[in-house]
Amino acid sequence: VTCDECCLNRMVMAECVGDKSKSDKNPYWNCNAGPNCGNRGIGQRKYAKCRPKREQGKGWGLVVVDGVKKGGVVQEYGGEVIDEATKEARLAEWARDHPNDPNFYIMSLEPGW
């Protein structure tokens, strides 16, 4: 059994976890293919090699060193999910505390995440 483009987890952009075919089933396991399936990039830390780079007038960002295959994982996002009011308060606080540095990264999530 392999994990391919027909995998439900992959279609909903969820990573496969565990092996549902084993007798000691964990309720959080969601994969029938087992640990060798191809939808475990984050759990196996298969990230693209990146380096930080400062862009003049833009601030800091990540640059991929060796390229990324289509559908590959660049990096895992490790931030918190906040509401609009918290976002606005943090932007105002940043502008007040760092008047000469307009660089503040906000990532928008689609509804349902």
Side-chain angles (χ1 to χ4, degrees):
V1 178
T2 61
C3 181
D4 58 18
E5 62 276 351
C6 295
C7 171
L8 180 61
N9 293 325
R10 189 183 297 266
M11 284 190 264
V12 298
M13 302 183 109
E15 182 158 301
C16 291
V17 178
D19 185 352
K20 286 173 73 176
S21 67
K22 294 209 178 217
S23 60
D24 57 334
K25 294 186 180 193
N26 181 315
Y28 298 103
W29 289 355
N30 64 5
C31 182
N32 292 320
N36 295 321
C37 86
N39 187 31
R40 295 174 186 252
I42 292 173
Q44 295 175 350
R45 299 186 182 269
K46 293 182 179 177
Y47 306 128
K49 185 175 180 182
C50 297
R51 65 178 174 80
K53 181 179 180 186
R54 184 159 180 93
E55 283 290 329
Q56 195 68 339
K58 303 281 184 191
W60 287 95
L62 286 179
V63 176
V64 176
V65 175
D66 297 325
V68 181
K69 293 179 184 175
K70 182 177 180 179
V73 177
V74 176
Q75 290 287 320
E76 178 181 13
Y77 177 72
E80 62 184 315
V81 178
I82 58 175
D83 61 19
E84 191 71 21
T86 304
K87 179 194 86 167
E88 293 300 328
R90 289 188 185 176
L91 287 171
E93 179 183 0
W94 182 265
R96 184 184 68 245
D97 295 346
H98 304 89
N100 297 319
D101 186 0
N103 301 305
F104 193 93
Y105 182 75
I106 301 288
M107 185 174 95
S108 176
L109 295 175
E110 295 294 319
W113 290 98

